[in-house]
Amino acid sequence: MNFEVMHPAEQLCTIIDRVYSFGMTTTSGGNLSVMDSDGDIWITPGAIDKGTLTPKDIVQVKPDGTVIGIHKPSVELPVHRKIYETRPDIKAILHAHPPALVAYSALDKKPQTEMIANVDALCNKIGTVGYALPGSDKLVGMIAEQFSGGADLVMMVSHGVIVGSANMSDAFMKFEMLDFCARIEIASVPLGTPRLLSRSTLDDYLVRTAEKLDEFGPEPYPSQERYYREELCRFIHRAYRQQIFTSMQGSYSRKVSDNSFIITPHGKDRLYLQPEDLVSIKYGRRERGKNASYSVRLHQEIYAQNPDVTSVMIAQPPSSMAFAVTGAEFDARLIPESYMMLKDVQRMPYGTNMKEPEKVAQAMSIKHPVMIIENDYVITAGKDTLNAFDRMEVMEYSAKAIVSAKQMGAKMKTISPEEVREIEIAFNL
């Protein structure tokens, strides 16, 4: 989906639908706007159901203040207008009330983006302002001051968050990533103190480069590869709906033959990926004109060292990531299904996946299919596309259950070593 060619009203309806569908705002809460090339501001209406907005509900505000539309614009229009005036580089604004970020708003705190490098790269320019009446001159002034100082995201005490960016797609990506960060940190509370990456480590991430692969093709896709492309896209969309992937984070691949696989591209919204967007890798070369995920070398190493692995998934699901950022032990002996799918979950230090992917690949197999890379992500390997997805989903559900159990305070009872052995014999693990 190309937001650049969509009408502003369509853009706003598309994104507010995602915001509302994923529980990031309520029926009456939040507001979004886009400034077009004519200087018109297109903004969501006030007091209208955010779950059913259509393009005809969007309000157009001309530079002279003339309002065109069947509804009144959001009460926050003055805030949006002032941000656009203050920061000419900003052309899209998103304000909403996701519960995790509202929790930080209520505590007058910011999520610690330094826990995860890709989060910090997108969301490190965060400002904060105190409480003021929505739509008031005081609030307008405080927010404008933060954006004027270089902030792209502003946490408002007892109000929520507001994000500004060059386009609505990018604004949503930052908003979504900050919400994921907040959820990860909240989930980490009963596990331990999150470890933060150093500024030098975070700076190194900013200058990383894509794996340099020679190109091949174009070539027609064999029928089997076409099937795998369609299948992989179905699971990518499912991973997004399950909030395992974010719009720009998460990689997934499927082996096609001994020397080829298909993988998610770099820099494309996971929700809208189509079979033709996936990148074919053959004999270490990439499909001409496409950019593979930055983790392509790791996927390649896992396939090279594990012939029985045919699918690999990498993601940052919030509850699982709480274990990654705290170093807390993840024990899969929660219920039989968890142990059967996850076995003994391994972990390696941050950076191993980038500097020594062969080391990660050597440690993984169908018998050891899950690994946590500290402060980065979770990897699952499967005998097919469904199996890799199932393991990641079970990992996140199990992590969420463990976090919930620890929040309740009592000591957890896990399956004993003898009971594990009984499971292994019964199910031929």
Side-chain angles (χ1 to χ4, degrees):
M1 182 175 291
N2 188 347
F3 274 81
E4 292 183 5
V5 300
M6 290 176 66
H7 189 278
E10 291 280 359
Q11 292 184 39
L12 296 178
C13 288
T14 297
I15 294 299
I16 195 64
D17 180 64
R18 289 174 75 166
V19 171
Y20 182 77
S21 296
F22 285 100
M24 296 176 175
T25 199
T26 58
T27 296
S28 58
N31 41 81
L32 288 70
S33 75
V34 170
M35 175 178 276
D36 68 19
S37 57
D38 296 322
D40 294 349
I41 297 174
W42 300 78
I43 190 166
T44 49
I48 301 296
D49 184 359
K50 299 300 188 296
T52 60
L53 282 185
T54 65
K56 67 180 178 62
D57 294 311
I58 303 302
V59 182
Q60 180 183 8
V61 183
K62 306 294 287 185
D64 64 3
T66 301
V67 174
I68 302 172
I70 61 175
H71 304 296
K72 292 181 179 180
S74 167
V75 69
E76 302 281 17
L77 173 61
V79 175
H80 290 241
R81 182 184 281 135
K82 190 65 175 178
I83 293 172
Y84 290 130
E85 179 185 317
T86 303
R87 288 276 300 277
D89 59 310
I90 289 178
K91 301 298 180 185
I93 295 168
L94 191 161
H95 163 55
H97 313 120
L101 290 177
V102 168
Y104 280 83
S105 169
L107 295 170
D108 192 12
K109 292 179 62 177
K110 298 185 292 186
Q112 297 187 94
T113 61
E114 302 93 336
M115 294 185 298
I116 305 168
N118 65 315
V119 175
D120 191 73
L122 280 174
C123 303
N124 64 352
K125 297 178 180 178
I126 307 176
T128 58
V129 297
Y131 175 80
L133 184 69
S136 67
D137 290 343
K138 181 179 179 182
L139 183 62
V140 171
M142 291 193 302
I143 292 175
E145 182 179 1
Q146 291 296 313
F147 276 98
S148 178
D152 291 332
L153 309 96
V154 175
M155 297 291 299
M156 300 173 284
V157 172
S158 301
H159 195 160
V161 64
I162 188 165
V163 182
S165 198
N167 56 69
M168 183 50 68
S169 178
D170 191 57
F172 176 76
M173 179 173 62
K174 291 177 180 177
F175 166 75
E176 180 186 49
M177 192 65 84
L178 188 65
D179 179 62
F180 255 63
C181 180
R183 289 162 56 194
I184 290 167
E185 190 172 359
I186 289 170
S188 74
V189 170
L191 301 179
T193 303
R195 296 168 302 190
L196 305 184
L197 298 173
S198 68
R199 180 44 56 187
S200 62
T201 298
L202 295 169
D203 289 343
D204 287 344
Y205 179 85
L206 291 175
V207 298
R208 79 199 192 289
T209 57
E211 192 73 25
K212 293 182 179 180
L213 302 176
D214 291 336
E215 294 185 322
F216 73 89
E219 296 178 358
Y221 302 140
S223 296
Q224 189 64 52
E225 181 176 333
R226 295 184 188 192
Y227 172 81
Y228 288 146
R229 284 174 176 269
E230 293 176 356
E231 177 189 55
L232 196 57
C233 281
R234 287 197 300 272
F235 278 102
I236 291 167
H237 299 159
R238 192 162 156 185
Y240 185 84
R241 290 194 297 271
Q242 291 289 79
Q243 300 188 25
I244 291 171
F245 282 173
T246 62
S247 52
M248 294 291 177
Q249 182 282 324
S251 64
Y252 207 165
S253 66
R254 189 17 162 131
K255 183 191 287 188
V256 177
S257 68
D258 287 344
N259 297 296
S260 70
F261 61 95
I262 51 175
I263 190 169
T264 43
H266 173 72
K268 287 185 177 288
D269 194 325
R270 273 45 184 153
L271 181 61
Y272 304 127
L273 282 184
Q274 297 299 310
E276 61 270 20
D277 296 321
L278 300 177
V279 185
S280 179
I281 306 295
K282 292 184 178 181
Y283 294 95
R285 297 182 297 162
R286 62 184 169 91
E287 188 176 356
R288 188 175 303 279
K290 295 184 178 182
N291 296 314
S293 164
Y294 275 28
S295 62
V296 63
R297 186 182 168 202
L298 178 56
H299 287 252
Q300 188 169 321
E301 287 287 346
I302 291 173
Y303 290 132
Q305 299 193 38
N306 298 278
D308 52 348
V309 171
T310 67
S311 188
V312 175
M313 189 176 190
I314 293 176
Q316 295 176 327
S319 296
S320 302
M321 286 302 296
F323 289 85
V325 301
T326 60
E329 179 188 5
F330 181 91
D331 191 341
R333 297 176 302 153
L334 181 67
I335 57 175
E337 289 83 352
S338 294
Y339 182 77
M340 290 165 62
M341 289 300 296
L342 307 176
K343 313 289 177 50
D344 296 317
V345 175
Q346 306 175 88
R347 67 169 60 233
M348 285 194 178
Y350 177 85
T352 309
N353 48 324
M354 294 177 277
K355 297 175 182 178
E356 301 177 275
E358 65 284 349
K359 186 175 181 180
V360 176
Q362 288 168 2
M364 295 200 71
S365 66
I366 291 298
K367 290 187 175 294
H368 300 93
V370 184
M371 180 176 291
I372 295 171
I373 302 294
E374 294 175 349
N375 292 81
D376 205 339
Y377 51 57
V378 178
I379 313 168
T380 59
K383 61 184 180 181
D384 54 37
T385 312
L386 171 62
N387 191 225
F389 176 86
D390 196 7
R391 293 191 200 281
M392 187 68 74
E393 191 175 51
V394 170
M395 175 72 183
E396 177 62 1
Y397 273 61
S398 301
K400 191 178 297 183
I402 294 170
V403 168
S404 296
K406 289 185 176 293
Q407 287 173 337
M408 295 169 70
K411 184 178 180 181
M412 286 179 56
K413 178 174 174 59
T414 57
I415 298 170
S416 70
E418 294 76 19
E419 291 165 335
V420 166
R421 183 58 183 155
E422 185 180 37
I423 292 170
E424 291 175 336
I425 293 171
F427 293 94
N428 194 30
L429 299 181

